[in-house]
Amino acid sequence: MNKDRLVQGLKQLNLPCDEQIMLRFEQFHEILDEYNRHMDLTAVLDEDERVDRHDLDSAAVLTAVTIPNGASAIDVGTGAGFPGIPILILRPDLHLTLLDAQQKRCLFLKNAVSRMGLHAEIIHARAEDAGRNPQLREQFDFAFSRAVASMGVLQELMLPLVRIGGKAVAWKGPKGLEELDSAKRAAFLLGGTFMEPVSVEIPERPDWTHLLLVTEKVKGTPKAYPRKAGTPSKKPLA
Ligand code: SAM
């Protein structure tokens, strides 16, 4: 891991980078490398890009969205743990759930979280099924999701899991704003309303456009949603 780049990046984002935090980031990179040798966990990036694209991009939400101490959050389609793990390393006070449809990724995450001495719930499930499970439905203060689906589809994957008054945060690139218009009706149907998009700057990457699109949950999600697994992406609400 390029430790200096991560320290500089966290400092520029005004985020903490004490010894414990840096140790956990180093451990996480090591465990990722270990698993990546025999499974296809993340695209292999050069060291600088990995810090910027994974760690700092995930962490940048903490500069843009106020997340109260002890809040609950679920990372929907977390894959190898992004954005969830970097957020948890920086905010171990959060009650984090990492959800993914792929079992091998969940096994990796269980191992990684325990080796770093952190606590998170790891759930192997489709978001559509989780959204209908009474133990998870409307239970979270925040839902996060990066690189999983278009904004319209994401509303159906994320909003059923968020309590009224909570927020769903989607990580998007430059095309995020185009997706926003077509997702407004989906958000409305699911009980959400869009807030102003937030643009986040990744240190050393002035040419990257990274947007956080936040939906606030203003009323309960009707029982009809989410539809059965696979339907949100096959027939997006429009
Ligand atoms: N969020 C991670 C990131 O930014 O690196 C992983 C992105 S990866 C492209 C998409 C992940 O979403 C995969 O691990 C996949 O299994 C998961 N996924 C896709 N659809 C899902 C669904 N309906 N429910 C749960 N997980 C889903």
Side-chain angles (χ1 to χ4, degrees), residues 42 54 75-83 99-102 105 125-128 145-148 157 230:
T42 53
H54 287 335
D75 183 4
V76 175
T78 184
F82 301 106
L99 177 131
D100 202 276
Q102 284 193 37
R105 294 188 163 164
R126 300 275 308 212
E128 298 91 321
S145 195
R146 188 182 87 157
V148 172
L157 301 185

